[in-house]
Amino acid sequence: MKSILVTGGCGYIGSQTIIEILKSTDYQVISIDNYVNSSEQTLHRIKEITGKSIKNHCIDLCNLETLRDFFKTHNSIVGVIHFAALKSVPQSVNDPIRYYKNNLESLLNIIKCSEENNVENFIFSSSCSVYGDVSSLPVTEETSLSPTLSPYAHTKLIAEQMIMFISEKSKMNFVLLRYFNPVGADPSGLIGELPSDIPNNLVPVICQTAAGERAKMYVFGNTYPTRDGSCIRDYVHVVDIALAHVASLNFLVQKKNKEKYSLFNLGSGDGVSVLEAIQTFEKVSGVKVNYEIVPKREGDVAAIYSDSTKAK
Ligand code: WQD
C-alpha cells in the first residue's frame, strides 16, 4: 500500500491536508508530529471526519537516528509533505537560535532520510513571508525577494534555497508552496486553528474576542499607506491550501513537473485589510468585536497579497 508521510500531521494545515488526502486518494497516510504546537486529540477528530484511523509517530525530526529507525519500518512511502516547523513570528524574534536549529536541522534530516529510502516526491511548506516588505503587488512567483523581517521568515527562505541546490543532485522532485495567510476551519467545525500557545494570528484572535475568551483585541496600527490605514493581507481558506497539497502530490506522481523544483504561491489573489476582516466577521456572525487601535507591530509589512495564476 503506497503511503504518504505528513510531518506536522497534527497541526492546523497538516491535519486538514491529511483529511483531503484520505477523501480523494487511496494513499495510506502516516503522520510524524512531536506535539510541540498540536495535540493527539486532532487524530481522533480526523477519524470522526473521515472514518479512518491515522497513526502518529511522536518523533523529534531533529533526531536523525530516531528518524532513520522510523524509515526502517516504513518502506512504502512515495511522497513526503513536510509541514513540521516552528511558525510564530514574534517567538522567532525572541529566540532565533531555536528557530534556525529546529526548522533547518529537521528539514535536512527529513530530506536525507527520504533520499536514503528512495522517496520520489517532496512537498515543502513555505511562506509568503519570504517576500519581505515587497513594493510591487500583487506578488507572483517571479517577484524578487526583499530582506526577510523575522528569523521565522528567514528559516523559510534558507530552506527554499537549500532545497533548490539539493534538488539539482537529488533523485527526488520537489514542490515548494508559499502560503499567504491560511484561515478558517474544516466545514465540520471539528478541527481548525487551535494553537497550543496564545495565538497571535488575526483570525483566531477575532474569534476568541467574539467568543468572549478575550475582553478585547488590538488592531496593530491604522496609519499604514493602505485604503483604510490598516494592514492588507491575502487570507486563504485552509481547505484550499490542503487541496493544493493534494494537487501538488498528483502533479509530482504523474510527473507533470518540468523542473526538479517547482514553486507556487498559495493565496486567494485578493487583499483584505484588518479592519475589513473585523467588519466582515461582525456582519457574517452578527457578533460585535471589541477592538482598540494601538501602535504598529514590529515586523509587519503594510500590504502583501498574491497573484495565484500559476497555482490555478
Ligand atoms: C495579520 C494582520 C497584524 C493580530 C504571519 C506569518 C506568516 C504566517 C501567518 C505562519 C497583521 C494584524 C494580528 C492581532 C492585529 N505564519 N493583527 N491584531 O503576520 O500576516 O503572517 O502569520 O505560517 O508566515 O508571517 O499574520 O495573522 O499575525 O497578522 O491587528 O491581534 O493582522 O498586524 O497586519 P501575518 P497575522
Side-chain angles (χ1 to χ4, degrees):
M1 188 67 166
K2 291 185 176 179
S3 309
I4 302 295
L5 170 60
V6 176
T7 72
C10 295
Y12 174 37
I13 304 172
S15 57
Q16 192 68 52
T17 299
I18 288 177
I19 288 170
E20 302 310 330
I21 294 173
L22 293 176
K23 277 183 180 172
S24 58
T25 74
D26 295 333
Y27 290 121
Q28 262 198 337
V29 177
I30 310 156
S31 168
I32 287 181
D33 193 310
N34 65 359
Y35 303 130
V36 71
N37 189 27
S38 62
S39 88
E40 196 173 8
Q41 171 70 13
T42 304
L43 298 168
H44 307 311
R45 299 292 172 86
I46 291 174
K47 172 115 166 92
E48 272 182 83
I49 295 168
T50 64
K52 296 178 183 170
S53 297
I54 297 296
K55 177 147 181 50
N56 178 65
H57 299 261
C58 184
I59 292 171
D60 179 354
L61 295 174
C62 291
N63 185 325
L64 180 59
E65 285 324 304
T66 314
L67 190 53
R68 275 196 169 128
D69 289 345
F70 165 83
F71 272 93
K72 280 182 190 137
T73 54
H74 293 84
N75 49 23
S76 64
I77 295 172
V78 296
V80 170
I81 306 181
H82 180 49
F83 291 101
L86 296 173
K87 55 150 271 185
S88 164
V89 168
Q91 190 182 61
S92 77
V93 170
N94 294 326
D95 194 351
I97 293 173
R98 181 185 175 208
Y99 267 67
Y100 287 117
K101 184 177 186 310
N102 181 79
N103 288 3
L104 298 176
E105 189 173 0
S106 55
L107 173 68
L108 288 169
N109 285 350
I110 188 67
I111 290 179
K112 187 163 186 58
C113 288
S114 299
E115 287 190 333
E116 287 170 354
N117 290 276
N118 304 312
V119 173
E120 292 168 2
N121 308 295
F122 195 97
I123 297 171
F124 175 66
S125 161
S126 189
S127 165
C128 64
S129 53
V130 303
Y131 287 107
D133 195 357
V134 285
S135 49
S136 67
L137 290 170
V139 163
T140 71
E141 289 81 1
E142 284 68 48
T143 298
S144 53
L145 308 185
S146 302
T148 47
L149 298 171
S150 69
Y152 158 77
H154 194 202
T155 67
K156 290 298 185 181
L157 176 63
I158 296 168
E160 287 194 2
Q161 292 166 340
M162 290 198 299
I163 290 172
M164 187 170 58
F165 283 107
I166 290 167
S167 68
E168 283 167 18
K169 292 285 179 284
S170 171
K171 294 190 299 296
M172 288 205 291
N173 289 299
F174 294 81
V175 165
L176 284 77
L177 300 174
R178 287 178 179 165
Y179 310 159
F180 279 70
N181 287 57
V183 291
D186 183 80
S188 67
L190 290 172
I191 61 168
E193 192 167 10
L194 196 63
S196 311
D197 56 5
I198 310 282
N200 40 53
N201 291 131
L202 179 65
V203 172
V205 167
I206 291 177
C207 293
Q208 288 185 344
T209 309
E213 289 172 35
R214 291 173 178 233
K216 69 177 170 181
M217 65 170 284
Y218 302 105
V219 170
F220 299 135
N222 68 343
T223 58
Y224 284 95
T226 62
R227 51 184 178 262
D228 64 12
S230 66
C231 291
I232 291 178
R233 293 289 184 275
D234 181 338
Y235 298 99
V236 54
H237 199 281
V238 66
V239 172
D240 290 336
I241 295 262
L243 290 171
H245 286 75
V246 178
S248 299
L249 213 43
N250 294 331
F251 174 79
L252 288 173
V253 167
Q254 292 159 18
K255 307 217 181 299
K256 290 183 179 163
N257 56 306
K258 306 233 180 340
E259 326 280 337
K260 299 282 289 170
Y261 157 101
S262 309
L263 177 68
F264 297 95
N265 281 340
L266 293 190
S268 65
D270 198 358
V272 168
S273 78
V274 175
L275 292 171
E276 288 164 350
I278 292 172
Q279 285 144 19
T280 305
F281 185 97
E282 289 181 326
K283 198 165 76 180
V284 167
S285 66
V287 176
K288 181 98 185 71
V289 174
N290 184 19
Y291 66 85
E292 180 191 338
I293 310 273
V294 294
K296 296 179 177 181
R297 180 174 71 174
E298 186 194 347
D300 277 341
V301 303
I304 181 166
Y305 49 92
S306 73
D307 173 327
S308 50
T309 308
K310 185 178 176 187
K312 283 200 181 84

